[in-house]
Amino acid sequence: MSRSHPEGAGGAGPPAVPPPAFSIAFEGCGCRAAFHVGVIEWFTEHGLLPEAVAGASSGALVAAATAVGRVAELRPVWTELFGTRICDPRRLVSGRWPFRMSEIVGGAAERYFGNRLLADTLIPLSIVVTQLRASGFRRRALTAHDPVSLANAILASCFIPGPYSRMVPIDRRLTVDGAWLGRAPIREAAQLGSLKVIACVSDSAGRLLRGALWTRAMAVPDDVDCRVLAPIAPVPVGAFDFDRAATLETFAIGRASARDFAEKNRAWLGTGDSGLRTGDST
């Protein structure tokens, strides 16, 4: 799964600069993951390609798209959902749950990934879920070793009782939101083999958070070489929000934040003065 960058014709000219070696941990943050879409768009367009990705909850959708090389299709998938109603009380009349996130996310994932499995990716992928065990809630990383479809892994990682109506059990266990015990799957990204991890988060203060409805801050793991990529301005879109204007602005903030991060972390990324054009438009 390594990427080769050929030298100039006949081997002439300076040696090729090796690609930066890092993975990305995409935070679970509901519809605010539109920020991640802007980030990975900009990274891909500028040759900053992760060697592995991990995602929790909505971050799992972005991670999976990155892992199968379909970043360019993320924005159209998101824009198809503009104006979608998360809750429709009229459904109660026919005995259906009024919240529609399972249908919305599950339908998008199934259309986007079809029957593709976790093993069917171009780079290593980890999707995090939270499971109830005898000792309490525990994190579980789904990888290529698990015979699970991408669509089911994503929906399992997104499930929050209430907004979502359909749980996807993994290992025949009660399985819920992958962001419950930590929104950014930093350690899981590192376990895929990368020495450096970018934690892509939607909090403009750059905090690593845990919890779905009630949150608290977490520390960066001290055994992982990690940098946090946070918005350079507060993102306007809400956690359960498909507002067109707010989402488009969040895409733009993601792109601008990616450019800012790349500029400030040239040495850490290993790009140096290799020709990375961070000054062009977002």
Side-chain angles (χ1 to χ4, degrees), residues 6 8 31 39 42 46 49 61 92 113 116 128 136 143 145 164 169 175 186-188 197 215 245 267:
C31 297
V39 167
W42 193 93
H46 292 80
L49 306 177
L61 176 61
L92 291 170
F113 298 108
R116 191 188 293 255
V128 179
T143 66
H145 300 293
Y164 288 80
T175 304
I186 296 170
R187 198 173 301 282
E188 290 81 3
V197 178
T215 62

Side-chain angles (χ1 to χ4, degrees), residues 33-211:
F35 172 76
H36 305 339
V37 175
V39 167
I40 196 60
E41 279 182 347
W42 193 93
F43 268 31
T44 300
E45 291 166 8
H46 292 80
L48 289 172
L49 306 177
E51 59 183 6
V53 285
S57 195
S58 58
L61 176 61
V62 181
T66 304
V68 300
R70 297 178 65 182
V71 168
E73 298 171 49
L74 272 171
R75 184 181 290 244
V77 168
W78 230 271
T79 57
E80 286 177 3
L81 300 175
F82 284 167
T84 299
R85 298 179 64 176
I86 303 299
C87 180
D88 184 359
R90 295 172 299 178
R91 291 160 59 94
L92 291 170
V93 176
S94 57
R96 294 181 296 167
W97 189 243
F99 291 96
R100 304 180 57 241
M101 286 301 291
S102 284
E103 297 172 26
I104 295 168
V105 174
E110 289 169 4
R111 290 192 302 273
Y112 194 76
F113 298 108
N115 295 322
R116 191 188 293 255
L117 300 177
L118 282 161
D120 301 330
T121 61
L122 302 176
I123 59 175
L125 166 68
S126 179
I127 292 179
V128 179
V129 298
T130 305
Q131 295 182 318
L132 179 61
R133 303 182 182 179
S135 56
F137 284 105
R138 293 289 183 269
R139 288 168 76 84
R140 163 86 152 87
L142 301 174
T143 66
H145 300 293
D146 296 289
V148 179
S149 72
L150 286 172
N152 277 344
I154 292 165
L155 191 55
S157 185
C158 288
F159 178 75
I160 301 173
Y164 288 80
S165 59
R166 180 162 67 93
M167 185 190 72
V168 179
I170 302 294
D171 308 322
R172 298 184 180 181
R173 297 180 184 274
L174 187 151
T175 304
V176 298
D177 182 42
W180 197 271
L181 299 177
R183 291 187 174 188
I186 296 170
R187 198 173 301 282
E188 290 81 3
Q191 289 170 347
L192 293 174
S194 182
L195 297 178
K196 299 178 180 180
V197 178
I198 298 173
C200 189
V201 306
S202 63
D203 181 73
S204 59
R207 298 176 299 167
L208 299 177
L209 301 174
R210 64 176 292 172

Side-chain angles (χ1 to χ4, degrees), residues 168-280:
V168 179
I170 302 294
D171 308 322
R172 298 184 180 181
R173 297 180 184 274
L174 187 151
T175 304
V176 298
D177 182 42
W180 197 271
L181 299 177
R183 291 187 174 188
I186 296 170
R187 198 173 301 282
E188 290 81 3
Q191 289 170 347
L192 293 174
S194 182
L195 297 178
K196 299 178 180 180
V197 178
I198 298 173
C200 189
V201 306
S202 63
D203 181 73
S204 59
R207 298 176 299 167
L208 299 177
L209 301 174
R210 64 176 292 172
L213 303 178
W214 297 275
T215 62
R216 67 176 186 267
M218 302 174 60
V220 176
D222 56 12
D223 58 342
V224 178
D225 185 4
C226 176
R227 298 286 172 92
V228 176
L229 195 170
I232 59 174
V235 299
V237 74
F240 297 104
D241 181 5
F242 290 108
D243 179 77
R244 182 180 187 278
T247 301
L248 291 176
E249 184 178 349
T250 300
F251 287 155
I253 291 173
R255 294 179 64 88
S257 301
R259 181 180 63 179
D260 183 73
F261 179 90
E263 181 64 41
K264 292 178 178 177
N265 291 277
R266 281 179 180 268
W268 184 78
L269 288 169
T271 55
D273 297 319
S274 62
L276 178 68
R277 300 188 307 277
T278 60
D280 50 0

